[in-house]
């Protein structure tokens, strides 16, 4: 009997000590999360700054509290710096703006994270601030804890298409060609720009629907620089089928009118390319995702993109006739 009592006492002491030793919440350590892409084609730059959280409650519960994921903006000093080598030429402070965040996720369900006090850090950039000859850094100082976070990036400051401008008309259909060649394609060419590694072309179809301006955006595959001149081929049959599929509401009554096309090219840096590849959906047997960040004393991405828009591109008369007579989507 004494032996049984001894064993019982031993296990009580053992499991009591285990409850103390295996505390999953270690001492709190400040972790700043930064997402920012400098875009020299815009005069206003935006950076998102949040913080990781750890506590006694479950993650889904804590995420519903604004102060779990957001800093008090009065506690942060955020600046952007124009650098040559390691010397600072110009520094500009970021301000904050409140953003109304959608309370529903992409599936129409209530989101997990708090939508209160959703702050974005912004700065208006003066002319001639950006150049691909300089580097640019962000510094984030927590005035309460003294924690410092930083990152730097090169920028993409220009882009243009090769031998193509908005005065050209794009033809996707020609009824005078043999049946197998009636649908045409257009190849858009460009040269690699400085610091640009990935290229995303979007074709924007602008039209009027009962007099109301609307647009359809057709995303083209990402193109990667591989040491040669670059291009993206827009296939006419796929383009027209895409427009048809997007306007397939059989209950629509009224008239549509073609307005014009926009070509929008978004160029990204090597760091952005790496970040996107690391965060692609996992399809293999190994489910562990590698981590990529270029934030010092934090996590996230601070890099650059450049957005170039060529607007008011017309279609050939044959193509517009196809929209009206053959597409069956109420174009006039």
């Amino acid at each position: 009997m004494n032996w049984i009592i001894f064993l019982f006492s031993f296990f009580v002491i053992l499991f009591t000590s285990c409850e103390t030793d295996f505390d999953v919440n270690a001492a709190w350590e400040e972790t700043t999360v930064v997402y920012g892409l400098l875009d020299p084609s815009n005069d206003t730059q935006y950076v998102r700054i949040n913080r990781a959280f750890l506590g006694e409650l479950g993650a889904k519960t804590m995420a519903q509290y604004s102060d779990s994921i957001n800093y008090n903006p009065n506690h942060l000093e955020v600046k952007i710096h124009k650098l040559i080598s390691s010397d600072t030429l110009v520094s500009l402070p970021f301000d904050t703006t409140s953003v109304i965040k959608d309370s529903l996720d992409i599936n129409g369900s209530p989101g997990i994270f708090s939508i209160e006090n959703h702050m974005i850090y912004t700065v208006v950039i003066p002319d001639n601030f950006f150049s691909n000859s300089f580097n640019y850094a962000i510094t984030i100082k927590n005035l309460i804890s003294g924690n410092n976070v930083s990152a730097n990036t090169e920028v993409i400051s220009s882009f243009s298409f090769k031998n193509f401008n908005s005065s050209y008309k794009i033809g996707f259909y020609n009824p005078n060609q043999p049946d197998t060649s009636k649908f045409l394609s257009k190849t858009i060419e460009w040269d690699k720009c400085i610091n640009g590694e990935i290229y995303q072309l979007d074709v924007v179809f602008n039209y009027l629907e009962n007099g109301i301006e609307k647009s359809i955006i057709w995303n083209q595959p990402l193109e990667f620089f591989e040491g040669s001149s670059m291009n993206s081929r827009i296939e006419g049959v796929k383009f027209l089928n895409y427009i048809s599929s997007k306007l397939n509401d059989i209950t629509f009554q009224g008239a549509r009118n073609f307005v014009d096309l926009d070509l929008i090219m978004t160029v990204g840096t090597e760091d952005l390319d790496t970040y996107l590849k690391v965060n692609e959906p996992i399809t293999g047997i190994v489910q562990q995702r590698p981590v990529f960040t270029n934030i010092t004393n934090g996590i996230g991405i601070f890099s650059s993109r450049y957005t170039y828009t060529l607007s008011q591109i017309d279609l050939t008369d044959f193509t517009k006739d196809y929209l009206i007579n053959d597409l069956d989507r109420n174009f006039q």
Side-chain angles (χ1 to χ4, degrees), residues 309-328:
T309 302
L310 190 62
S311 301
Q312 298 180 332
I313 301 171
D314 203 359
L315 293 173
T316 60
D317 291 340
F318 283 144
T319 307
K320 286 188 280 191
D321 288 342
Y322 183 89
L323 292 175
I324 295 170
N325 300 319
D326 299 283
L327 200 65
D328 193 25

Side-chain angles (χ1 to χ4, degrees), residues 62-199:
M62 292 191 64
Q64 297 174 20
Y65 294 96
S66 175
D67 59 359
S68 294
I69 59 177
N70 296 317
Y71 286 99
N72 182 329
N74 295 322
H75 295 173
L76 295 186
E77 179 185 79
V78 185
K79 293 182 178 180
I80 184 174
H81 311 273
K82 183 176 183 178
L83 307 176
I84 181 168
S85 298
S86 58
D87 297 327
T88 299
L89 300 178
V90 183
S91 294
L92 300 172
F94 278 81
D95 201 352
T96 57
T97 182
S98 180
V99 176
I100 299 176
K101 187 174 180 292
D102 196 341
S103 60
L104 302 179
D105 62 20
I106 59 175
N107 298 315
S109 302
I112 295 175
F113 292 94
S114 167
I115 62 172
E116 298 178 8
N117 302 322
H118 195 71
M119 306 301 297
I120 297 293
Y121 293 76
T122 68
V123 59
V124 177
I125 299 297
D127 294 340
N128 303 316
F129 181 81
F130 285 122
S131 168
N132 53 39
S133 300
F134 300 91
N135 275 15
Y136 297 84
I138 188 172
T139 57
I140 304 165
K141 181 178 181 179
N142 188 322
L143 301 176
I144 304 302
S145 68
N147 189 55
N148 290 292
V149 176
S150 63
N152 66 77
T153 183
E154 57 199 7
V155 298
I156 304 162
S157 58
S158 64
F159 175 86
S160 63
F161 291 113
K162 191 174 180 180
N163 300 324
F164 186 81
N165 58 59
S166 58
S167 65
Y168 296 163
K169 292 185 178 183
I170 296 181
F172 289 128
Y173 183 77
N174 187 342
N176 297 323
Q177 297 292 328
D179 287 343
T180 56
S181 306
K182 290 183 186 295
F183 292 99
L184 311 175
S185 298
K186 175 65 179 178
T187 299
I188 308 297
E189 298 180 317
W190 64 91
D191 290 323
K192 179 186 183 299
C193 57
I194 297 175
N195 299 327
E197 294 296 327
I198 53 173
Y199 298 78

Side-chain angles (χ1 to χ4, degrees), residues 170-300:
I170 296 181
F172 289 128
Y173 183 77
N174 187 342
N176 297 323
Q177 297 292 328
D179 287 343
T180 56
S181 306
K182 290 183 186 295
F183 292 99
L184 311 175
S185 298
K186 175 65 179 178
T187 299
I188 308 297
E189 298 180 317
W190 64 91
D191 290 323
K192 179 186 183 299
C193 57
I194 297 175
N195 299 327
E197 294 296 327
I198 53 173
Y199 298 78
Q200 171 76 64
L201 178 65
D202 294 331
V203 182
V204 184
F205 180 88
N206 302 306
Y207 65 102
L208 298 177
E209 190 172 272
N210 292 332
I212 299 173
E213 295 182 359
K214 295 191 175 184
S215 298
I216 297 171
I217 301 177
W218 188 31
N219 307 121
Q220 302 304 294
L222 275 174
E223 301 288 346
F224 302 89
F225 177 68
E226 296 179 346
S228 60
S229 123
M230 307 190 68
N231 65 78
S232 183
R233 189 167 181 262
I234 306 172
E235 297 186 30
V237 64
K238 290 183 178 179
F239 170 77
L240 294 167
N241 286 339
Y242 186 79
I243 300 302
S244 178
S245 68
K246 289 295 181 179
L247 302 176
N248 62 354
D249 182 2
I250 61 174
T251 64
F252 173 75
Q253 299 293 326
R256 294 183 172 115
N257 303 92
F258 168 75
V259 177
D260 56 28
L261 300 179
D262 298 329
L263 295 181
I264 301 177
M265 179 66 80
T266 305
V267 189
T269 61
E270 183 177 3
D271 274 352
L272 181 57
D273 177 26
T274 302
Y275 183 82
L276 292 174
K277 287 177 178 176
V278 166
N279 288 280
E280 288 177 345
I282 297 174
T283 57
I285 296 175
V286 178
Q287 294 296 299
Q288 185 174 1
R289 185 188 299 278
V291 176
F292 173 83
T293 179
N294 65 352
I295 309 297
T296 300
N297 201 29
I299 58 173

